[in-house]
Each structure stands twice: as C-alpha cells, then as structure tokens.
Amino acid sequence: MHRLLQFTLDLFERERAPAAAPTPLPQPTPAPRPRRAAPPKRRASTPLPQALGEDLFAVAAPAGPTAPSPVKSPRRPTGAAPAEPLAEVIAPMAFQHPQANRALRLQDSTVAYLFKRARRRSIGFVVGPDGLVVSAPRWVTLAEVDTALLSKSAWILRKLGEARERQQRQAAAQVRWTDGAELPFLGEPMRLTLSPGQSPGGQLQVLAPEQAQAEGVARLLLLGLPPQAAESQVRDAVQACLMREAKALFIQRLDHFAPQLGVQWKKLALSNAGTRWGSARIDGSIRLNWRLIHFSLPVIDYVVAHELAHLRVMDHSPRFWDTVASVLPDYAERRGQLRHVALPHWD
C-alpha cells in the first residue's frame, strides 16, 4: 500500500506542467542625466622650487613596470621630443675657489670659498682671480660668518662676476707669438711682422690712414727674426720693444703733468706687476707698469696723473681725488677703462 501511494504521487508530479516564471513588471526608464562638460586639459608645467633648501632641479625617474592606474595619463604626440630636465636648461651660476673648504648659497648662485682664521678684529672678504677668500677671527662662529656673507651677497656676486669676465677676456686675448700675430698698442691693433732684414731690437711703423684701413691695423712691429723663430723668442723681442716704447712715453707724460700738479718726480722704474698699475714714493720715485702701453693715451694719462698726485697727497682721501680732478676732470671714466680692456697674456 505504501509503494502504491508513492507511485501515484510520483505519477502525479510528472504529469503537472512546470509553472512559468512570473514576468517582471516593466520599470519606468529614468530620464538621462545631463553630462557635465569636461574641463579643458591644462598643460603640464614644471613645478618651481619653493625654497632654497629644497631640491631645485628634480628630474623624473625613468618609467618602469608599475601597477595599472585607473586614470590614464595623456599620451605624448607622436614624434615629440621628451622635455629636457630643468637642471640642464637653467643651471645655477657657481663660483668655485680652487682651495675652497666651505660653500654657501648667495641669491641664485652657489659660492664655494676659501675660509681661514686670522688675527683680525672683523670678518674680511677678498675677491681675487681664484675666487672668494673669507678671513675671520677665532672667536667668530661659522653662523656669524654665513650671516655676514648673506648681508654682503650683492657685493660679493658683483665682484665675482667681474673677476670671471676679466678672466674670460684674458683667455680670449691669448696671443700666438708668430708672424702676423696682433695685439693692442696705445688702444689700437698692432701686427707683428718677422723680417730678418730688420733691426734685432724691432722697429715700430705707423701706417697711413688709407693703408691702416686696408690692413685693419694701425701699426706694424717689424722684428729682425726669421719666420721660424720660437714663440718664446718672439715674445721676448716684442716685450723688450714695448718696454722701450713705454718708458719713453711715460717720461713724456710725467713731464707734462708734473708742472700742472706742482710736483717734481725724481726717478722712473718700470714694473711687471700682475694687478698694480703704478706706485709713488714721497721721495719722488715713480713706478709704472709697462703693460699700460696697451691702453689708449687717456688711460695712461690717468695712471700718470694718479701717481703724481700722490706726491702731494699720500692717501686716497677726498683731497687726493680733488687733486687728480684738477688736471683730469673725467678721471673716473678713464679709471673704469682699466677694468674693461682685454690685455695680451704674457705668461
């Protein structure tokens, strides 16, 4: 009986049709939301440094395998060159002393300088051909030295810039001591001509205006040397000739200005100093750098009058400069030309 009842139930379940799944009611379609306009793309810009202590010129690391990002970076146009690192485009100016033991950032420049302790009462700054030298007493702290450097940064950078420009001009004025070399004489170009038939001491020839314009020089220095003479031999011969010309000219200019200043000079000696153009002693002795012969006559006259004025005033007080101005009212302009003329390199 139990089996008959189970069979009947099974037969009944197979004959029942499967119930259809209820059809969902249609949902109202929501109205499309208005899309916001995409903001215009901004050009990528290089972030500027915020402070001197930060890394001023950071360079992006090269691309490598990284995790995918949900936001894609814009592609660079085909054929466009990659941007150069800012450090290669705008490099900060730097000044380096060959014996530097300290460095400091002054405005937009890095200055590496030689620092030394000295028996003095205050901090001293000297800008020379090699760069900046700072001297300080032993009781002055390094922080105080840095503060003093920052306070004088404008002056220091100006002097370092002038020294660098002067070195660049001197490098450009290198002379190859051979036939045809040119160098300034009294502010005008002069050409060397090696001719064995000339005097061994050299002869200075002034060209006529038409010939000077055609040759591009105002004078020729004829040297009695063979064309194959060594450069050192040519240089020594040129120096001897120019020193002779310089001494004769200096004597003439001393005799010209001494009566106007009411002084008497006793003795003239030529110097070969690297940076000093002249000196005077109370006994009437005058020393003038023979390389002044490269400058124009107005500049030479300034140095001559300067040293003669020291025979009246042995300092650089306002009274001294008034004495110089009594014979050369425009002495300041002439003085400035001493720093801006590229002289031949003789060493």
Side-chain angles (χ1 to χ4, degrees):
M1 185 65 180
H2 178 73
R3 289 183 178 180
L4 181 60
L5 178 59
Q6 182 64 41
F7 175 77
T8 304
L9 290 175
D10 292 342
L11 182 62
F12 177 76
E13 291 292 338
R14 285 195 298 267
E15 290 179 354
R16 289 181 59 186
T23 303
L25 295 176
Q27 300 292 330
T29 303
R33 298 178 61 183
R35 299 180 62 183
R36 295 184 179 179
K41 294 182 179 180
R42 301 178 62 184
R43 293 183 179 180
S45 59
T46 305
L48 296 178
Q50 299 299 321
L52 293 179
E54 297 180 2
D55 184 7
L56 295 179
F57 304 110
V59 181
T66 57
S69 173
V71 180
K72 294 183 179 181
S73 58
R75 293 183 178 180
R76 188 170 60 232
T78 304
E84 297 183 73
L86 188 58
E88 298 180 8
V89 179
I90 306 176
M93 185 176 295
F95 298 95
Q96 175 80 31
H97 192 285
Q99 300 176 356
N101 51 14
R102 297 201 76 224
L104 186 66
R105 190 65 181 268
L106 301 180
Q107 298 182 17
D108 59 348
S109 302
T110 300
V111 178
Y113 61 93
L114 172 61
F115 175 74
K116 55 185 181 180
R117 297 290 183 177
R119 297 183 61 181
R120 51 181 301 132
R121 297 181 179 180
S122 60
I123 303 173
F125 311 102
V126 176
V127 177
D130 291 333
L132 176 63
V133 178
V134 180
S135 304
R138 298 187 181 280
W139 49 266
V140 173
T141 65
L142 294 179
E144 291 173 327
V145 173
D146 290 346
T147 301
L149 285 168
L150 291 172
S151 66
K152 296 290 186 180
S153 60
W155 179 87
I156 293 172
L157 293 176
R158 185 177 75 252
K159 291 299 181 182
L160 287 172
E162 292 174 355
R164 174 171 291 179
E165 291 176 2
R166 188 159 50 248
Q167 289 179 340
Q168 292 173 348
R169 291 196 303 267
Q170 291 176 353
Q174 292 283 349
V175 178
R176 186 178 180 186
W177 301 102
T178 57
D179 185 49
E182 296 183 7
L183 62 157
F185 180 87
L186 292 180
E188 297 178 325
M190 178 186 67
R191 180 177 300 151
L192 307 182
T193 301
L194 304 186
S195 178
Q198 297 297 326
S199 169
Q203 180 182 358
L204 195 62
Q205 179 181 353
V206 181
L207 301 181
E210 297 80 6
Q211 186 179 1
Q213 184 176 5
E215 295 288 340
V217 294
R219 294 174 176 82
L220 298 177
L221 180 56
L222 309 178
L223 297 175
L225 295 174
Q228 66 272 16
E231 290 194 30
S232 59
Q233 187 179 4
V234 175
R235 181 195 60 202
D236 293 344
V238 173
Q239 180 174 341
C241 181
L242 294 187
M243 291 180 70
R244 184 177 67 250
E245 295 289 335
K247 188 170 185 178
L249 179 63
F250 295 164
I251 291 175
Q252 177 188 352
R253 304 317 293 167
L254 286 168
D255 289 340
H256 173 76
F257 284 105
Q260 299 181 41
L261 291 168
V263 297
Q264 291 184 352
W265 65 278
K266 301 297 183 181
K267 180 182 177 181
L268 171 65
L270 299 182
S271 75
N272 194 30
T275 58
R276 193 169 186 176
W277 297 116
S279 62
R281 298 181 62 179
I282 194 66
D283 62 358
S285 300
I286 302 292
R287 291 179 64 88
L288 295 174
N289 195 317
W290 69 267
R291 302 186 194 196
L292 285 168
I293 199 65
H294 295 304
F295 291 93
S296 63
L297 186 59
V299 178
I300 297 174
D301 282 348
Y302 159 72
V303 179
V304 170
H306 182 114
E307 301 308 330
L308 287 174
H310 275 310
L311 300 182
R312 291 180 56 181
V313 184
M314 295 300 294
D315 56 32
H316 289 101
S317 62
R319 179 169 165 259
F320 167 80
W321 293 113
D322 290 342
T323 303
V324 177
S326 67
V327 291
L328 295 177
D330 61 341
Y331 73 87
E333 179 181 353
R334 303 184 187 210
R335 181 187 182 190
Q337 296 180 33
L338 285 170
R339 305 177 181 179
H340 301 294
V341 175
L343 299 182
H345 187 70
W346 288 87
D347 300 327

